Amino acid sequence: MQERDPHQWCFVSGKVSALETTLLRGDFLQKSLYLEGREELLSCIKDSPLRDYFHGVDDLSVFEDIINERYLTLVHEIRRFSPSAAVCDFFLHPYDFMNLKNLLKESIYGLPPAKRFPSTVGDGTWRDLWEGDRKPSLPEVYEDAVNALKSHMKDDAAKADGPSLIDSVLDGYLLHYLSTLAAELKSELIREYVRDYLRLKGILIFQRVPAGRETTVLWFLKRDEFFERFLPGPPLHWKEALLEIVPERIVEKIVTGDKEGLLSRYEKYTSDYLMEKLEPALYAVFGPERVFGYLAGLTAELFNLRLLIGGKVNKLNPQIIKTALRRTYV
């Protein structure tokens, strides 16, 4: 692979530096929690960087469409100027995989149609892919993932998993592809972030994998020494495995509380930990780190907005929303 001159990142890093000032800070989220009614919420939004996207109370009824489109537009704008598309594709492909998984669940298992995340790839392309006609515009990982799923569906034991089989197979291919994209960026900070990201996802997936199929499902971790110790060796409780990746203070936050909320706490606090790891990217003058950090912050912001606006519109308890909000980048 040809080495890239880090100075190629100067222009897009400058653009990102300006865009970072539009990321919503934690104080905006906290202030919005206790607003009363849609008018107050809209007034708060119009006093923020979101002002150009929300024009009236009726927009709150379609807020998810608005913030999804905004996210996609911003990421594609950065992608247009980046020396490597990989830095943006890392954040775009999870949504394409989600759309593909939803279509397959609907087509194969008759699940109710799920709303698609906006994408340049439509359902027609996904149907063609499933029927064996891969479009040249798609990376090969999608064809590989679909072929692997078809192979697993011939196995009666795997087939019994139903829709979860689609999740486990396609998630593995997505995560493997994300590690490939990260390697292309040749950044130690991003490499370490993605290493921990994959390990944390692996532990999460491990919790729902049927006994005996752990190694097959978690193949995307195979070149990781953590995987080599975690799976083939003596049984290791997931909490012990987690302590090898994140600080004990975070593990304590995850395990403290009722069992029903364990998954939510795991996702929140591991997400916060990963965002914390990206803090040095804020101080990079230019390079893929600066761009990657901003995009991770934008992705966390999308999650928080979906939770905050959706929670307020549906009159959820502010404390429930507050406990689920993710750490912001700025």
Side-chain angles (χ1 to χ4, degrees), residues 28-324:
F28 168 85
L29 300 173
Q30 298 301 320
K31 179 177 69 174
S32 303
L33 283 171
Y34 301 99
L35 297 174
E36 295 290 340
R38 295 193 177 200
E39 289 288 355
E40 281 194 16
L41 179 59
L42 178 65
S43 178
C44 186
I45 289 173
K46 289 181 75 66
D47 195 31
S48 78
L50 296 171
R51 65 181 65 88
D52 294 334
Y53 300 90
F54 289 84
H55 307 290
V57 174
D58 289 346
D59 287 339
L60 294 175
S61 299
V62 289
F63 77 91
E64 201 157 358
D65 292 337
I66 293 172
I67 62 176
N68 286 349
E69 287 288 355
R70 171 179 177 265
Y71 176 85
L72 193 67
T73 298
L74 287 169
V75 178
H76 275 288
E77 182 180 0
I78 295 299
R79 192 178 190 273
R80 190 157 57 95
F81 295 107
S82 293
S84 170
V87 69
C88 295
D89 288 348
F90 184 93
F91 297 94
L92 292 172
H93 282 294
Y95 293 106
D96 283 337
F97 264 89
M98 180 178 69
N99 287 344
L100 171 59
K101 289 194 297 182
N102 283 333
L103 180 132
L104 292 178
K105 290 175 185 177
E106 295 160 15
S107 301
I108 299 170
Y109 296 104
L111 266 61
K115 192 168 188 178
R116 303 292 187 258
F117 193 88
S119 171
T120 55
V121 184
D123 279 1
T125 300
W126 298 134
R127 289 192 185 92
D128 289 344
L129 176 66
W130 179 248
E131 292 166 6
D133 181 19
R134 183 176 73 85
K135 298 296 183 183
S137 59
L138 290 176
E140 287 187 9
V141 64
Y142 289 96
E143 184 177 24
D144 293 342
V146 163
N147 288 339
L149 177 61
K150 289 178 177 178
S151 177
H152 279 284
M153 291 184 72
K154 295 175 183 176
D155 183 317
D156 289 338
K159 191 163 55 178
D161 294 342
S164 65
L165 176 65
I166 294 175
D167 285 328
S168 60
V169 173
L170 267 64
D171 284 350
Y173 277 85
L174 167 63
L175 293 169
H176 176 69
Y177 189 52
L178 294 184
S179 67
T180 302
L181 291 173
E184 184 179 332
L185 298 171
K186 298 184 178 298
S187 162
E188 185 65 17
L189 175 65
I190 295 174
R191 187 193 69 79
E192 290 185 1
Y193 172 94
V194 174
R195 177 201 63 199
D196 286 355
Y197 175 86
L198 294 179
R199 289 174 174 180
L200 291 168
K201 288 292 184 184
I203 291 175
L204 192 59
I205 293 172
F206 178 76
Q207 302 306 303
R208 61 174 188 257
V209 173
R213 295 217 296 278
E214 297 89 348
T215 303
T216 301
V217 171
L218 296 179
W219 63 271
F220 61 89
L221 284 173
K222 237 169 205 178
R223 289 174 292 182
D224 188 327
E225 53 88 19
F226 172 77
F227 174 91
E228 296 298 333
R229 288 184 293 108
F230 180 44
L231 282 184
L236 185 65
H237 193 277
W238 69 270
K239 283 190 287 188
E240 296 177 62
L242 195 56
L243 281 168
E244 295 191 23
I245 307 170
V246 302
E248 185 176 0
R249 61 182 168 82
I250 293 174
V251 178
E252 285 302 312
K253 289 180 180 179
I254 293 171
V255 301
T256 302
D258 59 277
K259 187 175 180 181
E260 289 73 20
L262 179 62
L263 176 59
S264 296
R265 294 194 301 273
Y266 183 97
E267 292 182 332
K268 172 183 165 50
Y269 291 117
T270 56
S271 173
D272 289 352
Y273 163 75
L274 290 169
M275 188 63 75
E276 185 180 331
K277 282 182 70 74
L278 286 177
E279 278 187 3
L282 270 170
Y283 307 104
V285 179
F286 53 80
E289 299 85 359
R290 190 66 185 263
V291 180
F292 191 93
Y294 164 72
L295 292 172
L298 187 65
T299 303
E301 179 179 277
L302 177 65
F303 176 91
N304 284 335
L305 282 174
R306 192 179 290 134
L307 180 63
L308 175 67
I309 301 177
K312 297 303 296 180
V313 166
N314 291 291
K315 300 180 180 180
L316 287 183
N317 185 321
Q319 193 59 35
I320 293 176
I321 303 172
K322 183 177 180 179
T323 58

